[in-house]
Amino acid sequence: MARLNDKVVLITGGASGLGKSGATLMNAEGAKVIISDINEDLGKATSAEIGDDVLFVHHDVSSLADWDRVIDLVIERFGRLDVLVNNAGIVVVADVENTTLSDWRAVHGVGTDGTFFGIQKGIGVMRESGGGSIINMSSLAGLIGYPLIFAYSASKGAIRSMTKSAAVYCAQNSLGIRVNSIHPGTIATPMVAGFEADVEEQGEERVKLLLGEPDDVGHMMVYLASDESKFVSGSEFVIDSTASITEGIVPG
Ligand SMILES: NC(=O)c1ccc[n+]([C@@H]2O[C@H](COP(=O)([O-])OP(=O)(O)OC[C@H]3O[C@@H](n4cnc5c(N)ncnc54)[C@H](O)[C@@H]3O)[C@@H](O)[C@H]2O)c1
């Protein structure tokens, strides 16, 4: 039997990169997948590419009103929500001295506010159906110091902490909802194009070792979405082929 048979999955920022990988792999495991994104053209193209049964919905995760509309649509269409992947995110490359208030607010609007809204709305709807899995996309930047992505690191740290707080809340209240975070190293997606490890500087072999593929993260989403991870909550999953415990490829 498929690992996610008939589970209803909403994945934010699903038009591209890690979200697209997760949507593709979860759909292949039998899930009913809803991709949400602000990029309407790409979102529609991605959902059509993955399969006829994959739904795209326009969704700005930084807007609470949009969350209400999208969750209502999911319930109206599918009757429940089993898995929510809070994946949408943006990055601004700026250190602590050069981060403007508007950089800070933009990154936190999508990453921190978007994940807060998602967790809150996800719990609200999953408690009705007896449980579910919420998967939050953090980063190595939520665990170690990346000097050039200050606001992003703060947001990913907040996502890590929100995950643990919400996981304990759900456990204490016997909601049957698991909440976990994923912490990828550098993965080849449009987000990091331009600041992957320098092949000339580090050598092709080392770059290959330290640059992941979207499916390296997508497979983790499948595991956390499935009942195979039924005893896993409040945990953080690092996917980085040692980058965080070696010199790594910290930008800058
Ligand atoms: N690629 C990496 O190396 C890496 C490493 C660690 C964590 N991450 C995290 O993984 C997640 C996915 O990143 P990616 O690398 O696939 O990037 P990506 O740019 O390919 O995909 C991000 C998607 O989010 C969408 N998006 C942006 N703002 C949005 C909003 N307000 N509402 C809804 N959707 C919005 C974009 O349109 C895009 O489709 C992000 O949270 C990112 O921070 C990525």
Side-chain angles (χ1 to χ4, degrees), residues 16 26-27 33 39 54 83 97 153 175 178 194 223 229 239:
S16 167
M26 289 191 275
N27 179 253
V33 176
N39 188 333
V54 174
V83 179
E97 290 199 277
S153 300
L175 300 183
R178 302 180 293 104
Y223 168 68
S229 56
I239 304 176

Side-chain angles (χ1 to χ4, degrees), residues 12-20 36-39 42 59-62 86-91 109-110 137-140 152 156 159 182-192:
T12 70
S16 167
L18 306 186
K20 178 179 179 181
S36 83
D37 208 289
I38 43 164
N39 188 333
L42 193 60
H59 181 194
D60 178 353
V61 297
S62 66
N86 286 308
N87 166 76
I90 57 168
V91 66
V110 182
M137 192 56 67
S138 181
S139 164
L140 284 194
Y152 181 84
K156 294 305 189 186
I159 291 170
I182 302 181
H183 300 257
T186 308
I187 313 290
T189 71
M191 179 179 275
V192 301

Side-chain angles (χ1 to χ4, degrees), residues 78-137:
F78 299 95
R80 61 178 205 281
L81 179 66
D82 300 308
V83 179
L84 168 64
V85 188
N86 286 308
N87 166 76
I90 57 168
V91 66
V92 170
V93 180
D95 63 33
V96 57
E97 290 199 277
N98 290 295
T99 296
T100 65
L101 185 56
S102 91
D103 295 338
W104 175 267
R105 288 193 171 144
V107 170
H108 282 274
V110 182
T112 316
D113 296 357
T115 303
F116 158 50
F117 296 154
I119 295 172
Q120 192 174 69
K121 296 288 162 192
I123 290 174
V125 73
M126 286 174 183
R127 71 186 307 156
E128 300 293 319
S129 57
S133 172
I134 298 177
I135 303 165
N136 297 323
M137 192 56 67

Side-chain angles (χ1 to χ4, degrees), residues 165-237:
S165 175
V168 174
Y169 172 82
C170 290
Q172 282 177 340
N173 289 281
S174 304
L175 300 183
I177 302 169
R178 302 180 293 104
V179 192
N180 291 288
S181 57
I182 302 181
H183 300 257
T186 308
I187 313 290
T189 71
M191 179 179 275
V192 301
F195 59 93
E196 301 103 335
D198 186 331
V199 174
E200 264 180 39
E201 203 178 281
Q202 303 214 31
E204 198 171 332
E205 281 314 303
R206 186 168 161 71
V207 167
K208 256 195 224 152
L209 183 71
L210 292 176
L211 182 64
E213 297 169 356
D215 285 358
D216 294 327
V217 179
H219 287 298
M220 180 59 78
M221 292 184 203
V222 172
Y223 168 68
L224 290 174
S226 80
D227 296 338
E228 293 158 18
S229 56
K230 66 181 171 48
F231 197 57
V232 177
S233 192
S235 296
E236 51 196 55
F237 292 86

